Amino acid sequence: MKSPKTPSQSRVSKPVIEGKIKTGVGVKSEPQTFKHHVQELRRRISWVVLAVGVSGVLGYYFRLPIIGVLQHPLKEPLFYSSPAGSFNFVIKVASIIGIFVALPVLVYQILRFIEPALPKRIKTSTMTKLIISSFGLASLGVAFGFFIMIPTSLDFFSGFANNQIKPLISAMEYLNFVLNTLITFAVIFQIPLFVL
């Protein structure tokens, strides 16, 4: 005749499978420590930095056609007023391209990092749809800002020029104007996702 197990013995005898404790209800993961969270965050940041770096190198390689596209709405040459002005302009253009192209990777890594804290009804397929939708809406916002708002704004502002006041637009000021416009409309076009 077997002796009945005490509660402490029954707790010890529960099988542990690959870091997961099997209970009577189901399989439940052990909570991660702070060190595990930091390691996970470091790994995901490394992927984002790698994606931005690779995209930035591609942006630098294709800098001439990209600058030509950016300059097209202005229809005038750009100037710089410091010795390193052209270098700073090119590096900033390459960095912006790198960040924009790597944006899906950034959003994906953020969602994967916070996934354990999300409700169970939010599945990976839902997150994938959110990433694709966000990038698509941001692209539509950028296209709307570049092809409609920037030319319209430039025509409006140039209407105030005359013989006494003539524009001499620097490359960095023009890039900041274009960048602010594109970011504004990329964010505005995210409103449907925020509402959803």
Side-chain angles (χ1 to χ4, degrees), residues 12-91:
V12 172
S13 64
K14 287 182 181 178
V16 177
I17 304 172
E18 297 179 0
K20 295 181 178 180
I21 301 175
K22 187 175 181 182
T23 63
V25 178
V27 177
K28 178 170 68 171
S29 298
E30 293 179 347
Q32 290 186 340
T33 63
F34 179 75
K35 182 180 178 181
H36 292 145
H37 285 296
V38 171
Q39 290 174 346
E40 178 76 6
L41 180 62
R42 186 190 315 157
R43 186 171 64 86
R44 299 205 177 277
I45 289 176
S46 300
W47 279 110
V48 172
V49 170
L50 179 64
V52 171
V54 172
S55 304
V57 170
L58 290 176
Y60 179 80
Y61 183 76
F62 294 104
R63 65 190 181 279
L64 294 180
I66 291 171
I67 291 173
V69 170
L70 290 174
Q71 190 182 1
H72 179 70
L74 184 62
K75 299 180 177 67
E76 292 180 9
L78 296 171
F79 302 91
Y80 60 92
S81 58
S82 65
S86 60
F87 174 78
N88 293 334
F89 179 77
V90 168
I91 293 301

